Amino acid sequence: MQFYAAAGVVDRGAKPADYPFIRADAVLGAVFACIISLTIIIATISAVGGTGPLDSAAQAAEALKPVAGRNAELLFAVGLIGASALAGAVVPLSASYAIGEAAGVERSVSRSFRDAPLFLGLFTAQIVLGATVAMTPVDVIQLLIGTQVLQGLISPIVLVYLLVLTNRRSVLGQAANSPRYRIAATAVVVGVAAMSTILLVQTILSWFGLA
């Protein structure tokens, strides 16, 4: 998501005069996303809390029956499709943007395959791979847990890397973080890194029955 947000600004052709609006959009978007996440967590605790760990999507849908009744499966399916559609676009685009930028090749969703073969090729391949995995009998819940463990390893590294870059005036000039933003961003990065580390440790310990 971090790479996607930054690359999306470039892909839209934003100019320095647009930076205040882009920053406001990023801040408001982050706040709104956190509100939605908290709402999901609270709703999940209310509906599923106390039923024990869920091992499959079917169990998650079943846990919603006391709240949604006979439409529980349909409700869960609609929510899952919405989340999958978002992730199916953002995750492949993020990876394609990052690899395309590292390779120094054309990277834009407005380009054709002829103009940006690596970028659009990677994007298409990831969608096909995701669809293929989804059609296999893989345990989706365990797959999600595994990706969270991977995120716990990668997120702190990526966030520190981005923080260093956004603080450098030699890279961003006047658009670099001000002292106030540096303090706020550092506090957020430290907090997110700590929570990611805790989640990572708890998940690994649970695999060995220690948590």
Side-chain angles (χ1 to χ4, degrees), residues 12-195:
R12 293 198 300 268
K15 297 177 173 56
D18 302 320
Y19 289 170
F21 298 102
I22 292 171
R23 175 168 284 178
D25 177 65
V27 172
L28 291 174
V31 171
F32 183 70
C34 288
I35 292 174
I36 295 298
S37 297
L38 287 172
T39 303
I40 292 173
I41 292 170
I42 293 171
T44 302
I45 293 173
S46 300
V48 185
T51 61
L54 301 176
D55 297 320
S56 67
Q59 288 184 6
E62 184 72 21
L64 288 175
K65 280 192 174 180
V67 178
R70 62 181 183 179
N71 295 319
E73 292 184 1
L74 177 61
L75 177 64
F76 183 77
V78 171
L80 194 59
I81 289 173
S84 300
L86 176 63
V90 172
V91 175
L93 274 179
S94 300
S96 300
Y97 276 132
I99 295 174
E101 185 170 357
V105 298
E106 183 63 59
R107 52 197 179 279
S108 175
V109 292
S110 62
R111 300 296 184 182
S112 66
F113 261 96
R114 179 179 297 178
D115 295 330
L118 178 62
F119 173 79
L120 293 176
L122 285 171
F123 180 53
T124 303
Q126 290 175 86
I127 293 177
V128 172
L129 177 61
T132 302
V133 172
M135 296 298 291
T136 65
V138 64
D139 188 333
V140 179
I141 300 297
Q142 292 302 316
L143 182 61
L144 289 174
I145 294 175
T147 59
Q148 289 303 305
V149 173
L150 183 61
Q151 178 179 309
L153 288 170
I154 295 176
S155 291
I157 299 173
V158 172
L159 290 175
V160 170
Y161 171 73
L162 290 177
L163 181 60
V164 171
L165 286 181
T166 54
N167 287 342
R168 287 186 176 177
R169 292 196 177 276
S170 60
V171 176
L172 295 178
Q174 295 300 316
N177 286 335
S178 65
R180 181 179 60 183
Y181 272 101
R182 288 185 184 186
I183 295 173
T186 300
V188 170
V189 168
V190 170
V192 171
M195 288 185 287

